[in-house]
Amino acid sequence: MRDALAPDPVEHAVPRLLTVLALGALGLLIGGATIVRFLRRARSEGTLSQV
């Protein structure tokens, strides 16, 4: 963000964008796996109520 506000051209823009995309994808995978795990546990224990 700081480089985007500077008047000079952003150095190494592609690797920086790829890093942000990789971190976002990793967060999505970890978050999805966590939700699936907790939902399976709640269903198996019967603590997941139906509304």
Side-chain angles (χ1 to χ4, degrees):
M1 294 292 276
R2 284 182 265 165
D3 282 347
L5 297 174
D8 299 331
V10 177
E11 295 180 15
H12 310 292
V14 174
R16 290 179 180 192
L17 287 174
L18 291 176
T19 301
V20 170
L21 288 174
L23 288 172
L26 183 64
L28 179 66
L29 289 174
I30 291 172
T34 302
I35 288 173
V36 167
R37 179 175 174 238
F38 284 114
L39 283 176
R40 282 187 185 154
R41 181 177 176 199
R43 285 184 188 130
S44 69
E45 292 180 359
T47 57
L48 186 64
S49 65
Q50 295 180 357
V51 179

Coordinates of all heavy atoms in Angstrom, one line a residue:
M1 N 0.8 -1.2 0.0 CA 0.0 0.0 0.0 C 0.9 1.3 0.0 O 0.6 2.2 -0.7 CB -0.9 0.0 1.2 CG -2.0 -1.1 1.2 SD -3.2 -0.8 -0.1 CE -4.3 0.3 0.7
R2 N 1.9 1.2 0.8 CA 2.8 2.4 0.8 C 3.4 2.7 -0.5 O 3.5 3.9 -0.9 CB 3.9 2.2 1.9 CG 3.3 2.4 3.3 CD 4.4 2.2 4.3 NE 4.4 0.8 4.7 CZ 5.3 0.2 5.4 NH1 6.4 0.9 5.7 NH2 5.2 -1.0 5.8
D3 N 3.8 1.6 -1.2 CA 4.4 1.9 -2.5 C 3.4 2.4 -3.5 O 3.8 3.1 -4.5 CB 5.0 0.6 -3.1 CG 6.4 0.2 -2.4 OD1 6.9 1.1 -1.7 OD2 6.8 -0.9 -2.6
A4 N 2.2 2.1 -3.4 CA 1.2 2.5 -4.3 C 0.9 4.0 -4.2 O 0.6 4.7 -5.1 CB -0.1 1.8 -4.1
L5 N 1.2 4.6 -3.0 CA 1.0 6.0 -2.7 C 2.2 6.8 -3.1 O 2.1 8.0 -3.2 CB 0.6 6.2 -1.3 CG -0.7 5.6 -0.8 CD1 -0.8 5.8 0.7 CD2 -1.8 6.2 -1.6
A6 N 3.4 6.2 -3.3 CA 4.6 6.9 -3.6 C 4.6 7.2 -5.1 O 4.0 6.5 -5.9 CB 5.8 6.0 -3.3
P7 N 5.2 8.3 -5.5 CA 5.2 8.7 -6.9 C 6.1 7.8 -7.8 O 5.9 7.7 -9.0 CB 5.8 10.1 -6.9 CG 6.5 10.3 -5.6 CD 5.9 9.3 -4.6
D8 N 7.0 7.1 -7.2 CA 7.9 6.2 -7.9 C 7.1 4.9 -8.4 O 6.2 4.5 -7.7 CB 9.1 5.8 -7.1 CG 10.0 7.0 -6.7 OD1 10.0 8.0 -7.4 OD2 10.6 6.9 -5.6
P9 N 7.6 4.3 -9.4 CA 6.9 3.0 -9.8 C 7.1 1.9 -8.8 O 8.2 1.9 -8.1 CB 7.7 2.6 -11.1 CG 8.5 3.8 -11.5 CD 8.6 4.7 -10.4
V10 N 6.2 1.1 -8.6 CA 6.2 0.0 -7.6 C 7.2 -1.1 -8.1 O 7.1 -1.5 -9.3 CB 4.8 -0.6 -7.4 CG1 4.9 -1.8 -6.5 CG2 3.9 0.4 -6.9
E11 N 8.1 -1.4 -7.3 CA 9.1 -2.5 -7.7 C 8.6 -3.8 -7.3 O 7.9 -4.0 -6.3 CB 10.4 -2.2 -6.9 CG 11.1 -0.9 -7.3 CD 12.4 -0.7 -6.6 OE1 12.9 -1.7 -6.0 OE2 12.9 0.4 -6.6
H12 N 8.9 -4.8 -8.2 CA 8.5 -6.2 -7.9 C 7.0 -6.4 -7.7 O 6.6 -7.0 -6.7 CB 9.3 -6.8 -6.8 CG 10.7 -6.6 -6.8 ND1 11.5 -7.1 -7.8 CD2 11.6 -5.8 -6.1 CE1 12.8 -6.8 -7.6 NE2 12.8 -5.9 -6.6
A13 N 6.2 -5.8 -8.5 CA 4.7 -5.8 -8.3 C 4.1 -7.2 -8.5 O 3.3 -7.6 -7.7 CB 4.1 -4.8 -9.3
V14 N 4.6 -7.9 -9.5 CA 4.0 -9.2 -9.7 C 4.3 -10.2 -8.6 O 3.3 -10.9 -8.1 CB 4.6 -9.8 -11.1 CG1 4.1 -11.3 -11.3 CG2 4.1 -9.0 -12.2
P15 N 5.5 -10.3 -8.1 CA 5.7 -11.2 -6.9 C 4.9 -10.8 -5.7 O 4.4 -11.6 -4.9 CB 7.2 -11.1 -6.6 CG 7.8 -10.7 -7.8 CD 6.8 -9.8 -8.5
R16 N 4.7 -9.5 -5.5 CA 3.9 -9.0 -4.4 C 2.5 -9.4 -4.5 O 1.8 -9.8 -3.6 CB 4.1 -7.5 -4.3 CG 5.4 -7.1 -3.8 CD 5.5 -5.6 -3.7 NE 6.8 -5.1 -3.2 CZ 7.1 -3.9 -2.9 NH1 6.1 -3.0 -2.9 NH2 8.3 -3.6 -2.5
L17 N 1.9 -9.2 -5.8 CA 0.5 -9.6 -6.0 C 0.3 -11.1 -5.8 O -0.7 -11.6 -5.3 CB 0.1 -9.2 -7.4 CG -0.1 -7.7 -7.6 CD1 -0.4 -7.4 -9.0 CD2 -1.3 -7.2 -6.7
L18 N 1.3 -11.9 -6.3 CA 1.2 -13.3 -6.2 C 1.2 -13.8 -4.7 O 0.6 -14.7 -4.3 CB 2.3 -14.0 -7.0 CG 2.2 -13.9 -8.5 CD1 3.4 -14.6 -9.2 CD2 0.9 -14.6 -9.0
T19 N 2.0 -13.0 -3.9 CA 2.1 -13.3 -2.5 C 0.7 -13.1 -1.8 O 0.3 -13.9 -1.0 CB 3.2 -12.5 -1.8 OG1 4.4 -12.8 -2.4 CG2 3.3 -12.8 -0.3
V20 N 0.1 -12.0 -2.2 CA -1.2 -11.6 -1.6 C -2.2 -12.7 -2.0 O -3.0 -13.1 -1.2 CB -1.6 -10.2 -2.0 CG1 -3.1 -9.9 -1.6 CG2 -0.7 -9.2 -1.4
L21 N -2.2 -13.1 -3.3 CA -3.1 -14.1 -3.8 C -2.9 -15.4 -3.1 O -3.9 -16.1 -2.7 CB -3.0 -14.2 -5.3 CG -3.6 -13.1 -6.1 CD1 -3.3 -13.3 -7.6 CD2 -5.1 -12.9 -5.9
A22 N -1.7 -15.8 -2.9 CA -1.3 -17.1 -2.2 C -1.8 -17.0 -0.8 O -2.4 -18.0 -0.3 CB 0.2 -17.3 -2.3
L23 N -1.6 -15.9 -0.1 CA -2.0 -15.8 1.3 C -3.6 -15.9 1.4 O -4.1 -16.5 2.3 CB -1.5 -14.6 1.9 CG 0.0 -14.6 2.2 CD1 0.4 -13.2 2.7 CD2 0.3 -15.6 3.3
G24 N -4.2 -15.3 0.5 CA -5.7 -15.3 0.4 C -6.2 -16.7 0.2 O -7.2 -17.2 0.8
A25 N -5.6 -17.4 -0.8 CA -6.0 -18.8 -1.1 C -5.7 -19.7 0.1 O -6.6 -20.6 0.4 CB -5.2 -19.3 -2.3
L26 N -4.6 -19.5 0.8 CA -4.3 -20.3 2.0 C -5.3 -20.1 3.1 O -5.8 -21.0 3.7 CB -2.9 -20.0 2.4 CG -2.3 -20.8 3.6 CD1 -2.2 -22.3 3.3 CD2 -1.0 -20.3 4.0
G27 N -5.6 -18.8 3.3 CA -6.6 -18.5 4.3 C -8.0 -19.1 3.9 O -8.7 -19.6 4.8
L28 N -8.4 -19.1 2.7 CA -9.6 -19.7 2.3 C -9.6 -21.2 2.5 O -10.6 -21.8 3.0 CB -9.9 -19.4 0.8 CG -11.1 -20.0 0.2 CD1 -12.4 -19.4 0.8 CD2 -11.1 -19.8 -1.3
L29 N -8.5 -21.9 2.2 CA -8.4 -23.3 2.4 C -8.5 -23.7 3.9 O -9.2 -24.6 4.3 CB -7.2 -23.8 1.8 CG -7.1 -23.9 0.2 CD1 -5.7 -24.3 -0.3 CD2 -8.2 -24.8 -0.3
I30 N -7.7 -22.9 4.7 CA -7.7 -23.2 6.1 C -9.1 -22.9 6.7 O -9.6 -23.7 7.5 CB -6.6 -22.4 6.8 CG1 -5.2 -23.0 6.4 CG2 -6.7 -22.5 8.3 CD1 -4.1 -22.1 6.9
G31 N -9.7 -21.8 6.4 CA -11.0 -21.5 6.9 C -12.1 -22.5 6.5 O -12.9 -22.9 7.3
G32 N -12.0 -22.9 5.2 CA -13.0 -23.9 4.7 C -12.9 -25.2 5.4 O -13.8 -25.8 5.8
A33 N -11.6 -25.6 5.6 CA -11.4 -26.9 6.3 C -11.8 -26.8 7.7 O -12.3 -27.8 8.3 CB -9.9 -27.3 6.2
T34 N -11.6 -25.7 8.4 CA -12.0 -25.5 9.8 C -13.5 -25.6 9.9 O -14.0 -26.3 10.8 CB -11.4 -24.2 10.3 OG1 -10.0 -24.2 10.2 CG2 -11.8 -24.0 11.8
I35 N -14.2 -24.9 9.0 CA -15.7 -24.9 9.1 C -16.2 -26.3 8.9 O -17.1 -26.8 9.6 CB -16.2 -23.9 8.1 CG1 -16.0 -22.5 8.5 CG2 -17.7 -24.1 7.9 CD1 -16.4 -21.4 7.5
V36 N -15.7 -27.0 7.9 CA -16.1 -28.4 7.6 C -15.9 -29.3 8.8 O -16.8 -30.1 9.2 CB -15.4 -28.9 6.4 CG1 -15.6 -30.4 6.2 CG2 -15.9 -28.2 5.1
R37 N -14.7 -29.2 9.4 CA -14.4 -30.0 10.6 C -15.4 -29.7 11.8 O -15.9 -30.7 12.4 CB -13.0 -29.7 11.0 CG -12.6 -30.5 12.3 CD -11.1 -30.2 12.6 NE -10.8 -30.9 13.8 CZ -10.3 -30.3 14.9 NH1 -10.0 -29.0 14.9 NH2 -10.0 -31.0 16.0
F38 N -15.6 -28.5 12.0 CA -16.5 -28.1 13.2 C -18.0 -28.5 12.9 O -18.7 -28.9 13.8 CB -16.4 -26.7 13.6 CG -15.1 -26.4 14.3 CD1 -14.1 -25.6 13.8 CD2 -14.9 -27.0 15.6 CE1 -13.0 -25.3 14.5 CE2 -13.8 -26.7 16.3 CZ -12.8 -25.9 15.8
L39 N -18.4 -28.4 11.6 CA -19.8 -28.8 11.3 C -19.9 -30.3 11.4 O -21.0 -30.8 11.9 CB -20.1 -28.3 9.9 CG -20.5 -26.8 9.7 CD1 -20.7 -26.5 8.3 CD2 -21.7 -26.5 10.6
R40 N -18.9 -31.0 10.9 CA -19.0 -32.5 11.1 C -19.1 -32.9 12.6 O -19.8 -33.8 12.9 CB -17.8 -33.2 10.4 CG -17.9 -33.2 8.9 CD -16.8 -34.1 8.3 NE -16.9 -34.0 6.9 CZ -15.9 -34.1 6.1 NH1 -14.7 -34.4 6.5 NH2 -16.1 -34.1 4.8
R41 N -18.3 -32.3 13.4 CA -18.3 -32.6 14.8 C -19.6 -32.3 15.4 O -20.2 -33.0 16.2 CB -17.1 -31.8 15.5 CG -17.1 -32.1 17.0 CD -15.9 -31.4 17.6 NE -15.9 -31.7 19.0 CZ -15.2 -30.9 19.9 NH1 -14.5 -29.9 19.5 NH2 -15.3 -31.2 21.2
A42 N -20.1 -31.1 15.1 CA -21.4 -30.7 15.7 C -22.5 -31.6 15.2 O -23.4 -32.0 16.0 CB -21.7 -29.2 15.3
R43 N -22.5 -32.0 14.0 CA -23.6 -33.0 13.5 C -23.5 -34.3 14.2 O -24.5 -34.9 14.5 CB -23.4 -33.1 12.0 CG -23.9 -32.0 11.2 CD -23.9 -32.2 9.7 NE -24.2 -31.0 9.0 CZ -23.5 -30.6 8.0 NH1 -22.3 -31.2 7.6 NH2 -23.8 -29.5 7.4
S44 N -22.2 -34.8 14.3 CA -22.1 -36.1 15.0 C -22.4 -36.1 16.4 O -22.9 -37.1 17.0 CB -20.6 -36.6 14.8 OG -19.7 -35.8 15.6
E45 N -22.2 -35.0 17.1 CA -22.6 -34.9 18.5 C -24.1 -34.5 18.7 O -24.6 -34.5 19.8 CB -21.7 -33.9 19.2 CG -20.2 -34.3 19.3 CD -19.3 -33.4 20.0 OE1 -19.8 -32.3 20.4 OE2 -18.2 -33.7 20.2
G46 N -24.7 -34.0 17.6 CA -26.1 -33.6 17.7 C -26.3 -32.2 18.3 O -27.3 -31.9 18.8
T47 N -25.2 -31.4 18.3 CA -25.3 -30.1 18.9 C -25.7 -29.1 17.8 O -25.8 -27.9 18.1 CB -24.0 -29.7 19.5 OG1 -23.0 -29.8 18.6 CG2 -23.7 -30.6 20.7
L48 N -25.8 -29.5 16.6 CA -26.2 -28.6 15.5 C -27.7 -28.5 15.4 O -28.3 -29.5 15.0 CB -25.6 -29.0 14.2 CG -25.7 -28.1 13.0 CD1 -25.0 -26.7 13.3 CD2 -25.2 -28.7 11.7
S49 N -28.3 -27.4 15.7 CA -29.8 -27.3 15.7 C -30.3 -26.9 14.3 O -29.5 -26.2 13.6 CB -30.3 -26.4 16.8 OG -29.8 -25.1 16.4
Q50 N -31.5 -27.3 14.0 CA -32.1 -26.9 12.7 C -33.0 -25.8 13.0 O -33.9 -25.9 13.9 CB -32.8 -28.1 12.1 CG -31.9 -29.2 11.7 CD -32.7 -30.3 11.0 OE1 -33.9 -30.3 10.9 NE2 -31.9 -31.3 10.6
V51 N -32.9 -24.7 12.3 CA -33.7 -23.5 12.5 C -34.8 -23.5 11.4 O -34.6 -23.7 10.3 CB -32.9 -22.2 12.5 CG1 -33.8 -21.0 12.7 CG2 -31.9 -22.3 13.6

